[in-house]
Amino acid sequence: TIFLLATSHHFEGTTAKAASGYEYAGYGSCRDVNGNIYSNIRLTDATATHDDAVCGQSCDVFRSSDKLRGFEWLIVDGSSKRCYCLFDAGSDVEAMALSMGG
């Protein structure tokens, strides 16, 4: 399985970097090869949303799942940071979140 650092929306002039174990995929919105939007789990704790590298590390708890495809870290409206762990479209993300105590 190839894990990707999914796209990030950063302030202009900043540079995203690949988190350990992930490959940087670029800016934009994340979709699979069929154009489907990935199923996701949004991590809301302050640690996970700190930056793109920490977001990736936070999604690592799902690496044992063969459904994890990467993560997306973004800044919304200039200040609200969000971290999403991305899974194959149609994955039962509710069950995965519950299995991790979410």
Side-chain angles (χ1 to χ4, degrees), residues 12-93:
E12 187 176 334
T14 63
T15 304
K17 58 193 175 301
S20 179
Y22 293 86
E23 177 184 332
Y24 180 65
Y27 292 101
S29 63
C30 301
R31 295 182 183 262
D32 67 17
V33 295
N34 297 316
N36 297 314
I37 296 172
Y38 289 103
S39 295
N40 67 75
I41 295 174
R42 181 178 173 190
L43 303 180
T44 57
D45 62 275
T47 301
T49 61
H50 178 72
D51 64 27
D52 52 351
V54 176
C55 175
Q57 291 169 359
S58 298
C59 290
D60 281 347
V61 298
F62 298 105
R63 278 197 187 250
S64 62
S65 164
D66 63 347
K67 307 280 186 207
L68 179 68
R69 292 295 165 249
F71 69 93
E72 184 170 17
W73 182 80
L74 48 104
I75 299 172
V76 179
D77 297 326
S79 63
S80 178
K81 298 176 183 177
R82 297 188 183 167
C83 175
Y84 297 91
C85 303
L86 306 176
F87 303 89
D88 290 333
S91 295
D92 188 353
V93 293

